[in-house]
Amino acid sequence: MKIKFLLMMSALFITSAVSSQIVIYRFGLGQQKADAVIFKKDKQTVSGIVHFPDFEDKKVKIKVGENNEKYAASEIDSIQIFDADKKLSYTFLWTKTKEYKKKGTEFKVKKEGWLCKTMNGKASLYLGGLEYGIKNVKVKDEETNEKIKEAKMQVVSKQVNHYLKRSNEDYPILVSVSSNALSAGYNAFFKHFGVYYFSDSPEIAKKIEDKEYKYDDIEKVVNLYNAKRQKKAEPKAESKKELKVSKMKITPPKAESKTTKKK
């Protein structure tokens, strides 16, 4: 009886998963599909349910209404993934990547693959791996400092890569490598690549070198870096305003001198 009951429940679960058009879960890999908009290079857009592309997928699957369609990766500019509230949550890009070759001064350009942008800013953070899925992971609440569960895009295959890209850089650059299995020893990659990439921020680079920031602190480091860049930009804007004010203060004395001449 128990076996029959389990088989019946399994059949119901599979049937409901197949009929669902919004979210489909693969066991252990989290959410594999979501509402999305494909932005094509010819300026056309396609809306529907997109299956998250694997890193090497040459074609992207999207369900538009009752129809299944495929588009070549080479003709897609980006794929924007939306959450249940129809808010933009992630962006997939088909792009080449870079890896450091020697002492942070030379690069090796790697072939195109699908990366997922997870953070946007002065330095944007990209997630890279063979397969992607949205899973519930434990994160620290900034206000209570307690660990809570949050749905986040994850690499669900073994190796996990993190890339960073500033607006003036042509391709995302590999800065961190880890594993979903055993991550022992992987901090060595971040210690070198991270120091290279954040060389324009000596304070952050030093903490990475001293292992105060490790590979699993990548989001914290990016937030800190972007906040520091923003603070440095603000004084420049204020100095321009002060300059305008000082010019305005010079004007009244000229008007007074004209008045004395009339007298």
Side-chain angles (χ1 to χ4, degrees):
M1 289 295 290
K2 286 184 178 180
I3 294 172
K4 286 183 178 180
F5 176 76
L6 288 171
L7 287 172
M8 184 176 69
M9 291 302 293
S10 298
L12 286 171
F13 175 78
I14 293 168
T15 304
S16 62
V18 170
S19 62
S20 173
Q21 294 184 3
I22 299 174
V23 174
I24 292 183
Y25 291 87
R26 290 173 58 196
F27 183 74
L29 300 181
Q31 180 182 332
Q32 298 287 300
K33 298 184 180 182
D35 287 319
V37 177
I38 292 177
F39 289 84
K40 297 175 66 182
K41 290 178 180 177
D42 62 6
K43 307 301 181 185
Q44 292 185 40
T45 60
V46 185
S47 300
I49 309 298
V50 166
H51 186 285
F52 304 153
D54 294 348
F55 182 79
E56 297 179 342
D57 278 350
K58 297 295 191 297
K59 290 188 177 181
V60 175
K61 303 171 187 176
I62 181 169
K63 189 169 186 177
V64 183
E66 296 300 318
N67 301 319
N68 293 311
E69 300 177 9
K70 288 184 180 180
Y71 293 93
S74 57
E75 63 178 311
I76 296 174
D77 181 68
S78 67
I79 304 170
Q80 296 188 359
I81 306 296
F82 294 87
D83 61 17
D85 297 321
K86 305 298 181 184
K87 292 181 180 179
L88 176 65
S89 53
Y90 301 102
T91 301
F92 278 96
L93 296 168
W94 177 255
T95 178
K96 291 181 179 179
T97 59
K98 280 184 172 181
E99 293 182 8
Y100 288 108
K101 282 175 66 177
K102 186 180 179 182
K103 295 184 179 179
T105 57
E106 297 178 18
F107 295 97
K108 181 179 181 180
V109 179
K110 308 288 284 186
K111 66 179 183 178
E112 288 96 342
W114 285 106
L115 296 188
C116 182
K117 184 190 283 190
T118 59
M119 293 175 66
N120 193 43
K122 178 73 177 179
S124 295
L125 179 64
Y126 297 78
L127 194 61
L130 292 178
E131 194 170 7
Y132 302 93
I134 294 177
K135 299 179 69 175
N136 286 325
V137 296
K138 288 184 178 181
V139 296
K140 189 176 285 187
D141 188 285
E142 293 180 2
E143 294 182 1
T144 63
N145 212 32
E146 294 179 357
K147 286 191 175 182
I148 57 172
K149 283 189 175 182
E150 183 179 301
K152 296 182 71 174
M153 184 69 76
Q154 298 282 292
V155 167
V156 292
S157 49
K158 186 177 180 182
Q159 185 166 307
V160 184
N161 299 333
H162 283 107
Y163 300 81
L164 286 170
K165 181 182 177 297
R166 301 182 185 91
S167 58
N168 63 340
E169 293 167 340
D170 49 3
Y171 303 122
I173 300 169
L174 182 66
V175 294
S176 175
V177 180
S178 62
S179 171
N180 280 323
L182 181 65
S183 294
Y186 276 95
N187 197 62
F189 290 94
F190 185 54
K191 184 179 176 182
H192 290 289
F193 299 163
V195 169
Y196 294 156
Y197 193 84
F198 293 108
S199 59
D200 61 334
S201 179
E203 182 184 346
I204 291 177
K206 183 71 166 58
K207 287 185 177 181
I208 294 172
E209 192 172 19
D210 293 342
K211 298 182 182 180
E212 287 186 50
Y213 294 144
K214 297 184 178 180
Y215 68 90
D216 51 355
D217 295 316
I218 185 70
E219 291 187 5
K220 178 181 178 180
V221 172
V222 172
N223 274 326
L224 181 62
Y225 177 80
N226 288 339
K228 283 180 175 290
R229 297 299 97 188
Q230 190 174 357
K231 284 180 181 179
K232 281 189 175 182
E234 284 173 0
K236 292 181 181 179
E238 288 175 4
S239 62
K240 286 180 181 178
K241 288 179 182 178
E242 288 173 3
L243 186 62
K244 288 180 181 179
V245 171
S246 63
K247 285 180 179 178
M248 289 173 69
K249 287 180 180 179
I250 295 169
T251 307
K254 290 183 179 179
E256 286 176 9
S257 61
K258 286 181 181 178
T259 308
T260 51
K261 282 183 180 180
K262 285 181 181 180
K263 287 181 180 179

